[in-house]
Every structure is written in C-alpha cells, then in structure tokens.
C-alpha cells in the first residue's frame, strides 16, 4: 500500500512482458472523494490512457475500489510503466492480465 499520493506525483516501474498482447490493468485505490481525476498510464514515455475510476463505494482512505484500463498493447520485452496521479489516492496492488 502506498498512502497519500497526490495529483502531479508519479510512480515508475520497469516490467518485463513475456508475450506481445493486449492487457487489462486493474489498480486498487482508496480515496475520500468520489470526484477525483483518474490516474493516467504511460508506457515508454507515451500516454496510453486513463484508468476508469467508478464512484468509490466507501468514501474513505481505508477501503479499496478497482480502477480498470483495458486493451493496453504491450510488446514482448522490457518496458517502463508510469502511473501519473491526477488526484489524491491511496494505492494498493496493480494487476496485469492478458486479454
């Protein structure tokens, strides 16, 4: 869990992709405000899209909801992934699954 991430902050990861495919990314998050701007995903310095953040069921930092970004094309090999925050969140895990 990463707590108290604010708009303008970012998290960077290096990942290795075993197979070229489209992927769905699911981000666990908590926030006390239902009207936050969604986190943006960048892959290799290119904006890919914004996570879809539904209304947060429990309006506090402790409970998590799931933001989804579908059809992210990733090629086999190493990539730099950046989560650019556009609102205030607590972040949990980031799951990646081939479609």
């Amino acid at each position: 869990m990463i707590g108290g991430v604010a708009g303008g902050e970012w998290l960077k990861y290096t990942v290795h992709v075993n197979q070229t495919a489209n992927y769905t990314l699911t981000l666990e998050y908590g926030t006390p405000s239902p009207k936050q701007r969604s986190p943006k995903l960048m892959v290799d310095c290119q904006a890919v899209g914004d996570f879809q953040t539904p209304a947060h069921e429990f309006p506090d930092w402790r409970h998590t909801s799931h933001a989804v970004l579908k059809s992210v094309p990733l090629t086999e090999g190493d990539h730099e992934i950046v989560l650019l925050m556009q609102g205030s969140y607590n972040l949990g895990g980031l799951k990646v699954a081939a479609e």
Side-chain angles (χ1 to χ4, degrees):
M1 174 74 75
I2 300 172
V5 181
E9 295 182 324
W10 49 269
L11 301 161
K12 180 170 45 173
Y13 304 92
T14 300
V15 298
H16 180 77
V17 175
N18 290 325
Q19 179 179 352
T20 298
N22 284 338
Y23 290 84
T24 296
L25 286 78
T26 304
L27 178 66
E28 281 186 307
Y29 72 95
T31 183
S33 175
K35 296 186 178 186
Q36 296 286 332
R37 288 187 60 202
S38 300
K40 180 178 291 298
L41 180 73
M42 301 185 72
V43 176
D44 300 328
C45 298
Q46 299 294 317
V48 174
D50 293 354
F51 280 88
Q52 299 300 310
T53 50
H56 192 50
E57 185 176 351
F58 302 101
D60 65 39
W61 293 101
R62 297 172 291 148
H63 295 90
T64 58
S65 291
H66 295 93
V68 176
L69 183 56
K70 294 183 177 186
S71 299
V72 176
L74 295 173
T75 57
E76 183 178 347
D78 293 333
H79 297 279
E80 181 180 277
I81 291 180
V82 173
L83 291 174
L84 176 60
M85 305 315 295
Q86 301 183 103
S88 297
Y89 295 95
N90 279 352
L91 300 175
L94 176 64
K95 296 179 183 178
V96 180
E99 295 178 356

